Amino acid sequence: MTKKRLTWVDVTKGFLMILVVIGHYPGELDFPLAKYIYWFHMPAFFILSGLFFKPVVEKGLMKAAIHKRFMQLIVPYLFFLVSITLIRYGMEIGSGNLDISWYLNDLWALAVGGRFIRGAYGVFWFVTTLFFTYLFFLWLTKTFNRRKQFVLLAIFYLIAHFESIVAMHVIGGKPSEAAQSIPMVWNLDVALMAVVYFAVGYYLKDMWMNVTKRWMVAGLVVSVTAILLDGIGVIDYRLSMKFLRYDHFVLDLAIPLSFTIVLVGIFQRFTTRMSFSWLQKVEKHSLSIMYLHILMDKLLNDYFTYGLIGYTAIGVFIPIIASILIKHLLPNGKLLLGGFSPKKETTPMPT
């Protein structure tokens, strides 16, 4: 049973990672595919992350848990941040950009991170948000009973929506510009929303581990209804966690959860009948794909012409090759890719 669970989780995450790549396609799509992808793909990652959260009860284990998550998330974040920056700066210097103020301003934006860094760093916000989300939930489950946890999560959800309303409707304008009017390091404020999705994965673990036919039907009805209503103009739902665009109190839970239920239910059933080893391989190298797929397009689009399929292939396969090379050629390559495992303490055998 455990093996099957790991299989469908890996396959689902691999599929979601492909959706991340597609969602960053710079060209125009006839079908509003990117819009619907953004409805659920990032919340789904937080839900699946919460699914495997383990509370830390003992005081002595808290530091070790935080250290493990730091090594798995922030160390690769810093590695890819520095690597991509060196490539960018090399290209800038090669093109004749010797303006020191430009580099200082750029370094400042990179230090702030989150929604303030764009282009090749477009997905970096997710990792720092996930790290803070984990810390928030670790603190919640360590400090408060279940009832107080729900109360605090509701408060976080309200604060997140209030901030979104301020950004989208008070400040106004383009979501990216409106969100950047609210200063925040590493998208720490987005963790207020992400922790709710994370909690849904944790508290509803039994449901997620076995999505029944009834849940599948309910999720499908909500998902299809939302698409139809959006298609005929009854609703114009948008979701962008990075840019604080979650200003519909009900739909921001109903739509991401329903789509995720359908996706998880489908892969739970399919993985018992057929192999999706290629999606498992995508998930295995998902960290490199996430960090490098936008960079690959920026490096190659001046030399090659390709559509959505070509963009997706380049954004998936080249980072996989880079991931393999990093792991085998660089010192501590596995660690740089998030493969940190704490050493297990061994108890000496009695003599």
Side-chain angles (χ1 to χ4, degrees), residues 81-96:
L81 182 74
V82 172
S83 299
I84 292 175
T85 301
L86 290 176
I87 293 173
R88 285 182 56 240
Y89 286 6
M91 294 173 65
E92 288 292 332
I93 293 172
S95 65

Side-chain angles (χ1 to χ4, degrees), residues 48-106:
L48 292 175
S49 297
L51 183 62
F52 294 99
F53 174 81
K54 294 181 180 179
V56 176
V57 180
E58 300 179 25
K59 290 183 178 180
L61 298 179
M62 180 69 76
K63 183 177 179 180
I66 296 174
H67 176 255
K68 177 182 177 181
R69 189 60 59 178
F70 180 90
M71 297 298 292
Q72 291 176 336
L73 293 176
I74 303 303
V75 168
Y77 172 90
L78 296 174
F79 167 71
F80 282 101
L81 182 74
V82 172
S83 299
I84 292 175
T85 301
L86 290 176
I87 293 173
R88 285 182 56 240
Y89 286 6
M91 294 173 65
E92 288 292 332
I93 293 172
S95 65
N97 182 3
L98 301 178
D99 184 356
I100 298 299
S101 62
W102 184 92
Y103 291 97
L104 291 176
N105 290 331
D106 191 73

Side-chain angles (χ1 to χ4, degrees), residues 157-314:
Y157 193 71
L158 287 169
I159 294 174
H161 277 80
F162 176 76
E163 183 184 32
S164 178
I165 290 171
V166 170
M168 297 301 109
H169 301 288
V170 177
I171 298 174
K174 294 178 62 177
S176 58
E177 296 174 359
Q180 290 185 28
S181 298
I182 302 177
M184 184 60 61
V185 176
W186 281 14
N187 264 24
L188 174 60
D189 50 352
V190 179
L192 293 172
M193 186 68 176
V195 73
V196 176
Y197 295 127
F198 192 92
V200 168
Y202 174 70
Y203 293 127
L204 299 182
K205 181 176 181 178
D206 291 341
M207 185 275 289
W208 292 113
M209 286 299 187
N210 182 25
V211 176
T212 63
K213 184 178 180 180
R214 181 178 297 179
W215 277 110
M216 278 281 290
V217 171
L220 192 61
V221 168
V222 175
S223 301
V224 172
T225 301
I227 292 176
L228 291 175
L229 292 177
D230 182 77
I232 62 177
V234 175
I235 63 172
D236 183 22
Y237 179 68
R238 306 276 179 166
L239 180 67
S240 175
M241 295 185 69
K242 176 181 179 179
F243 293 122
L244 309 178
R245 194 171 188 176
Y246 32 80
D247 55 353
H248 196 292
F249 196 77
V250 176
L251 296 184
D252 290 332
L253 274 178
I255 289 180
L257 266 60
S258 63
F259 272 82
T260 306
I261 286 172
V262 173
L263 185 65
V264 168
I266 288 174
F267 282 123
Q268 282 182 350
R269 286 158 176 77
F270 281 4
T271 52
T272 62
R273 296 177 176 85
M274 61 187 74
S275 172
F276 286 90
S277 57
W278 63 279
L279 280 177
Q280 288 179 280
K281 290 179 180 178
V282 170
E283 193 281 330
K284 182 179 179 182
H285 301 284
S286 59
L287 205 64
S288 293
I289 295 172
M290 180 184 66
Y291 281 123
L292 297 177
H293 71 276
I294 299 177
L295 176 67
M296 293 301 103
D297 174 61
K298 292 187 175 299
L299 293 176
L300 298 176
N301 62 15
D302 287 338
Y303 307 98
F304 301 96
T305 300
Y306 43 78
L308 176 62
I309 295 177
Y311 171 85
T312 305
I314 288 171

